[in-house]
Amino acid sequence: DSYGNINIPIIGPIGIAGLSFKDAKTLIVSKLITAYPNASIIVNIAKYSTIQVSLTGNVNAPGIYNVSALSTIKDLLVHAGGVKANGTVRSMTLQRADGAIHGVDLYELLLGQNNKPALFLKTGDVVYISNAHKVISIAGAVNTPAKYELKAGENLGHLIDYAGGIRAGGSHYGL
């Protein structure tokens, strides 16, 4: 339902909002097995509900979007055609309808450095993409030459890490 519950007769509502499918399935099975001990229980997703969120700032198509209830900021940015060249992907802001504010850094997600649980979007969320402050190009003997955004306090070592490190045969003299 719109509150993130599955309503099952005899059992009642089971809150699954924000859970991964695996965790939701485990919870549902644990509740059902007590009421139906000899049953074989299979849990599948038949359809997704949609939510409405706003995307503002330096994106290619700002606006109000209807997305799947299991969407993240990354999914929303795909719907919007991505971030403009001057937009940040390191300091995005997610403001919840209840006033809570979360900072999101896509590099953490892409580099596997994000140990926080997935931040699923909710109805009424507003995602703001501000200006990027420091965008640096790196080329030469690195594995992935490109433009990268650095946060305050990050240096050449971080830039090389984002670029996938130095290629075999390359030199890091003076670093």
Side-chain angles (χ1 to χ4, degrees):
D1 64 18
S2 61
Y3 299 103
N5 297 316
I6 292 179
N7 294 301
I8 301 173
I10 301 174
I11 307 287
I14 302 173
I16 60 165
L19 297 178
S20 68
F21 176 70
K22 180 182 174 186
D23 291 342
K25 182 178 178 178
T26 301
L27 178 61
I28 293 165
V29 169
S30 72
K31 298 285 186 180
L32 286 172
I33 205 73
T34 58
Y36 306 99
N38 297 321
S40 175
I41 300 167
I42 298 171
V43 179
N44 287 315
I45 299 175
K47 69 176 185 173
Y48 295 100
S49 60
T50 59
I51 58 171
Q52 193 170 70
V53 296
S54 299
L55 179 61
T56 64
N58 291 304
V59 292
N60 290 319
I64 298 172
Y65 287 86
N66 292 315
V67 295
S68 158
L70 296 176
S71 295
T72 63
I73 289 179
K74 176 185 63 75
D75 302 316
L76 180 61
L77 290 173
V78 169
H79 282 289
V83 174
K84 288 183 179 179
N86 65 332
T88 184
V89 293
R90 305 287 316 273
S91 299
M92 298 179 291
T93 304
L94 167 62
Q95 182 169 355
R96 298 278 190 205
D98 66 4
I101 297 176
H102 302 274
V104 178
D105 181 346
L106 279 187
Y107 280 23
E108 290 178 356
L109 173 70
L110 297 173
L111 297 173
Q113 299 170 346
N114 186 349
N115 57 4
K116 302 174 205 164
L119 200 57
F120 292 106
L121 296 172
K122 297 179 181 180
T123 293
D125 283 352
V126 177
V127 176
Y128 175 69
I129 308 300
S130 63
N131 285 330
H133 295 289
K134 189 185 333 180
V135 178
I136 308 291
S137 293
I138 187 169
V142 292
N143 289 308
T144 313
K147 290 181 180 178
Y148 295 93
E149 183 180 352
L150 298 182
K151 286 183 168 182
E154 292 182 330
N155 56 32
L156 180 59
H158 292 96
L159 181 61
I160 291 171
D161 287 344
Y162 296 145
I166 296 175
R167 284 192 305 218
S171 172
H172 63 287
Y173 178 74
L175 294 180

